[in-house]
Amino acid sequence: MTILVTGGAGFIGSNFVYYELNKHPEDRVVCLDALTYAGNLESLEEAMKNPQFRFVRGDITDRAAVEKLFEEERPEIVVNFAAESHVDRSVEDPGLFIRTNVLGTQTMMDASRKYGVKRYHQVSTDEVYGDLPLDRPDLFFTEETHLHTSSPYSASKAGADLLVLAYARTFGLPVSITRCSNNYGPYHFPEKLIPLMITRALADESLPVYGNGLNVRDWLYVEDHCAAIDLVMRRGREGEVYNVGGHNERTNLDVVKTVLRELGKPESLITYVKDRPGHDRRYAIDPTKIHNELGWLPETTFDEGIHRTVQWYLDHQDWWKHILAGEYQNYYEHMYGNR
Ligand code: NAD
Ligand code: DAU
């Protein structure tokens, strides 16, 4: 079977490519990725050596290129990871998020219809549900929670989700959607909280915590997310949404302190900076459905996952130093310079 993975040179996509090649060595994995700032061929170096893997550079909004690839590969399963994924960047340039996340999803689904794929799987996010109050620990996002977005990023992901469900109902496209909480692990671009804090702490630089640091995220080790997607795209019910999360809620401050402890660095590196506009307070997933229907449970505890992640960044300094040496410096200055 051939699986087409879009966005496979990004954080979760590259982890997913390795997960599939290891777990299902009989399947072929084709990666379509535009190699934006977030895409990195160094993350796929090992995969490139595997004859079951093919990398194709291309944009998911480029209809002709997408159709040409479907014509060549005739994938049975399409998994759409490709997206603009960073909330802060969506505040700077909402249009790019609409283009990639909504129009790109439409293009991938049109091709999936035309070539009759067995499953189109959309990788979505818990951010489509908006946020929960900090003083109601009894509340969780279920698949029935209303969509209620806060940022251009989450609105573009919710728009894509609605389009996916519309293609299922109107055209009978066999779809599924997973909505996952915050991931962390290897190959995570250092604009996001955990890798940003690891790489800056290693250089003894200040650690910019937004607002009072008490916003809560529900952290999941990336491999557990990959396992969930693999189960849903192969065995999940058609037309269904599955929430994915590990009941692992932490304040941002708690996460940053854990990283510092793991690195043996002082908490005095923490600095409080101006808050993100529209900053979601708390995310918390109820994963009962995927557990009951598909037996999925997270396998990696936060302590173990953070330990492995920090070790990965220590062992792969070239990977992130190459990123930090490029356009990233302008990004950091622009976003944090006057904060
Ligand atoms: P990422 O930003 O690390 O990677 C995105 C990848 O998509 C990059 O390789 C980039 O080059 C590629 N891409 C961007 N625009 C493209 C285009 N027009 N055509 C082809 N490729 C393009 O993102 P990530 O954190 O790995 O997230 C992957 C997916 O998972 C996204 O859809 C995101 O919304 C979703 N998600 C992420 C998280 C998380 O915690 N990171 C949690 C839940 C869901
Ligand atoms: O919940 C899933 C989502 O998780 C995904 O859909 C997104 O693609 C992914 O980027 C992530 O979104 P967040 O906005 O939660 O992740 P981020 O790492 O940007 O921020 C996590 C928290 O840390 C958030 O409350 C903001 C805060 N933060 C972030 C950065 C980058 C800081 O305090 N300082 C920072 O420098």
Side-chain angles (χ1 to χ4, degrees):
M1 173 160 84
T2 296
I3 302 164
L4 175 56
V5 176
T6 71
F11 164 45
I12 308 175
S14 56
N15 279 281
F16 185 75
V17 164
Y18 290 113
Y19 185 89
E20 288 302 303
L21 290 173
N22 289 332
K23 174 114 185 170
H24 304 282
E26 70 285 4
D27 290 338
R28 192 173 142 68
V29 177
V30 177
C31 167
L32 173 67
D33 196 297
L35 296 181
T36 68
Y37 80 93
N40 189 345
L41 276 187
E42 288 182 38
S43 306
L44 292 173
E45 247 168 36
E46 281 306 307
M48 295 289 193
K49 298 176 190 157
N50 188 322
Q52 291 287 67
F53 179 72
R54 177 183 175 202
F55 177 81
V56 177
R57 184 172 190 177
D59 191 318
I60 58 164
T61 65
D62 181 344
R63 201 164 279 271
V66 167
E67 288 200 6
K68 180 169 172 285
L69 186 58
F70 273 73
E71 189 70 47
E72 284 168 14
E73 294 288 350
R74 302 282 172 158
E76 275 95 338
I77 299 181
V78 173
V79 195
N80 187 25
F81 288 93
E84 288 295 332
S85 69
H86 193 35
V87 173
D88 294 328
R89 288 184 192 256
S90 81
V91 179
E92 301 288 302
D93 185 2
L96 177 60
F97 283 68
I98 303 303
R99 179 181 172 277
T100 300
N101 300 358
V102 182
L103 297 180
T105 297
Q106 182 208 357
T107 309
M108 292 308 299
M109 288 197 298
D110 283 341
S112 298
R113 270 185 75 202
K114 183 167 174 184
Y115 289 90
V117 302
K118 291 208 177 78
R119 177 62 61 95
Y120 173 88
H121 183 78
Q122 178 75 0
V123 181
S124 186
T125 168
D126 60 359
E127 296 201 16
V128 300
Y129 299 122
D131 63 352
L132 296 164
L134 291 173
D135 59 357
R136 290 291 307 273
D138 55 312
L139 296 180
F140 295 91
F141 296 137
T142 73
E143 291 78 2
E144 271 68 52
T145 303
H146 288 160
L147 304 191
H148 188 82
T149 55
S150 313
S151 69
Y153 163 68
S154 55
S156 69
K157 293 296 289 185
D161 280 14
L162 291 175
L163 202 56
V164 171
L165 296 174
Y167 267 55
R169 177 153 174 176
T170 304
F171 303 120
L173 187 69
V175 304
S176 46
I177 299 177
T178 40
R179 294 183 179 146
C180 189
S181 60
N182 286 62
N183 285 213
Y184 67 101
Y187 304 116
H188 204 179
F189 193 86
E191 66 188 348
K192 306 284 169 61
L193 181 73
I194 290 180
L196 184 133
M197 297 300 167
I198 295 174
T199 53
R200 287 187 67 81
L202 279 171
D204 296 312
E205 290 170 329
S206 64
L207 308 184
V209 170
Y210 297 168
N212 60 11
L214 296 182
N215 301 58
V216 171
R217 297 291 183 268
D218 179 0
W219 293 96
L220 184 72
Y221 192 64
V222 62
E223 208 172 278
D224 283 321
H225 185 192
C226 294
I229 294 170
D230 180 66
L231 277 174
V232 171
M233 74 182 198
R234 290 169 191 271
R235 298 197 356 237
R237 284 186 293 137
E238 238 178 78
E240 292 290 319
V241 174
Y242 293 86
N243 283 355
V244 183
H247 280 307
N248 180 41
E249 292 176 54
R250 317 256 159 172
T251 66
N252 294 336
L253 210 47
D254 186 24
V255 170
V256 175
K257 287 181 179 173
T258 306
V259 166
L260 285 170
R261 267 198 307 279
E262 193 64 39
L263 288 168
K265 297 284 182 178
E267 290 186 6
S268 55
L269 288 176
I270 295 174
T271 54
Y272 294 92
V273 301
K274 193 162 162 257
D275 211 349
R276 170 185 281 174
H279 197 174
D280 280 336
R281 293 160 296 175
R282 170 177 170 247
Y283 303 146
I285 283 277
D286 175 355
T288 304
K289 179 173 173 179
I290 189 169
H291 175 61
N292 286 349
E293 288 190 19
L294 298 168
W296 178 87
L297 276 179
E299 287 183 359
T300 309
T301 63
F302 191 64
D303 284 350
E304 174 59 24
I306 282 289
H307 178 70
R308 273 199 234 164
T309 304
V310 165
Q311 198 54 51
W312 190 88
Y313 280 83
L314 286 170
D315 293 343
H316 295 80
Q317 303 213 14
D318 280 354
W319 183 88
W320 53 267
K321 283 185 177 163
H322 289 167
I323 295 171
L324 264 48
E327 176 55 28
Y328 184 86
Q329 285 177 13
N330 297 334
Y331 167 80
Y332 195 86
E333 182 52 32
H334 177 68
M335 301 300 269
Y336 295 88
N338 291 319
R339 209 156 179 156

